[in-house]
Amino acid sequence: MDLLYTPRQEAFRKEARAWLEAHVPPEPLPSFDTQEGFEAHRRWEAELHAGGWAMVPWPVEYGGRGGDLFEWLIFEEEYYRAGAPGRVNQNGLFLLGPTIMEYGTPEQKARFLPPMASSEEVWAQGWSEPNAGSDMANIQATALLEGEHYVLRGQKTWASRGAYAHWLFGMFRSDPGSSRHHGLTFLLVPLDIPGVSVRPIRKLNGKAAFAEIFFDGARVPVGNRLGADGQGWEIAMATAGFERGLMLRSPARFQSAAHRLVALYRETLRSGRPVDPGVRQRVARCWMEAEAYALNTYQTVSRLRAGGRIGFEASLNKIFWSELDVRMHETALELLGVRAELLPEAPASQGVGDWLDGYLFALSGPIYAGTNEIQRNIIAERILGLPRK
Ligand SMILES: Cc1cc2nc3c(=O)[nH]c(=O)nc-3n(C[C@H](O)[C@H](O)[C@H](O)COP(=O)(O)OP(=O)(O)OC[C@H]3O[C@@H](n4cnc5c(N)ncnc54)[C@H](O)[C@@H]3O)c2cc1C
């Protein structure tokens, strides 16, 4: 691993910084968990795409920039530095995109990747069901083959941005006699076809960010199947690897939060408000851990470039970033004192409300992308080789 950037990478950083400085909206967009904010974020994605920045590591023919994963990391650093909007199509771009790249046919790549890159089509992830969260192998929603179509029945839940998304990627039981992780198939499902109904669910912050999705005889062409019939579990595990191990939460997100935390600490000292000496240590620790996560990610990318694959260590990664996120926000709330109770909409929040909003979301980090208890089970069994019972 070479810790120095090449002249080419430095030039790439300069180009990305200049573009972002010229294009990032000066005011934050409304939350993408509202209809208005969802559309505003799609317009931003269209602008990113037109500039060639939608997905740095994807081939140009699919709407990417033809860069590599190092350039993607550099772009992410510049993206967060510029305070650019959240990525409304992250489930598509960061999870499904790499999966289609690996398992899709040439026709599927040509059909699905370009409108994903431009966010003309926004994707939701449809894995969880009321009785299949941590126990994902208990999926009950079915997709039974009838001629050239799969006929879908059952329910998915907790689909992020499912209330507004256009498509869903999900796992369905295609072999009715199967159990557990056998007989599952990975399907790409339009959400506007007959037999699909979407019911929004409100989040802790009151916004309709999730949806539960019901299937009652919806017909999906066989061509929308990723991989083979019954290969769903294997493909979903590859998606989960990208999600936990690399793409979903790039280090820049935490480095930028750490910088904001240090700034908040300095501002608190300047204001003369009393600060517990232990908080100083915690601020420094958060900053160091964000840097450590960045170095670890650069190492992962070096390994991938040398032909490696993401394995069970993705679980270590997921625990690290999700718990760091909670610690950073808790530390910020402690520094803010009574101001910690202000949400961004509060007239007196003066920019500090994002910490409470971020904290509420950080609390879900140890739950989504597979709970941290489940990640600890995976580490125990698959990395440490401990007995299952
Ligand atoms: C913000 C957010 C966004 C999400 N987005 C999506 C999405 O877009 N698409 C999607 O499909 N899902 C999504 N989810 C759902 C998420 O994947 C599930 O909530 C998660 O997998 C846990 O499943 P569950 O909620 O059914 O809890 P359960 O599985 O019922 O777990 C309840 C508790 O029991 C613990 N537990 C369960 N089994 C074990 C075990 N064997 N050993 C130890 N502890 C155990 C869990 O860790 C948890 O603490 C999202 C969730 C959140 C919070």
Side-chain angles (χ1 to χ4, degrees), residues 91 95 123-136 156-162 168-169 203 209-211 243-244 249 360-361 363-375 377 381:
N91 282 328
L95 309 186
W123 288 80
Q125 180 187 31
W127 288 1
S128 301
E129 297 180 4
N131 291 311
S134 299
D135 189 13
M136 199 162 78
K156 295 286 172 185
T157 191
W158 307 129
S160 294
R161 284 167 293 289
L168 169 129
F169 60 95
K203 248 185 3 179
F210 289 122
E243 181 175 24
R244 296 169 187 159
R249 296 289 177 245
L360 296 179
F361 188 70
L363 289 177
S364 67
I367 303 173
Y368 66 77
T371 70
N372 286 10
E373 288 78 17
I374 295 301
Q375 305 316 309
N377 286 350
E381 290 163 20

Side-chain angles (χ1 to χ4, degrees), residues 232-290:
W233 186 262
E234 176 199 325
I235 302 175
M237 289 306 105
T239 313
F242 300 129
E243 181 175 24
R244 296 169 187 159
L246 184 64
M247 301 297 279
L248 185 65
R249 296 289 177 245
S250 80
R253 177 185 176 110
F254 306 101
Q255 288 174 300
S256 119
H259 281 288
R260 285 173 52 228
L261 185 61
V262 170
L264 179 65
Y265 175 73
R266 292 202 171 116
E267 182 222 298
T268 313
L269 287 187
R270 274 198 305 274
S271 73
R273 285 194 297 279
V275 179
D276 183 309
V279 173
R280 178 190 160 92
Q281 304 291 331
R282 295 223 297 280
V283 170
R285 186 176 156 203
C286 288
W287 189 86
M288 287 189 297
E289 288 180 343

Side-chain angles (χ1 to χ4, degrees), residues 205-223:
N205 64 7
K207 302 195 172 81
F210 289 122
E212 48 184 352
I213 300 173
F214 299 87
F215 304 95
D216 184 14
R219 296 173 72 80
V220 173
V222 172

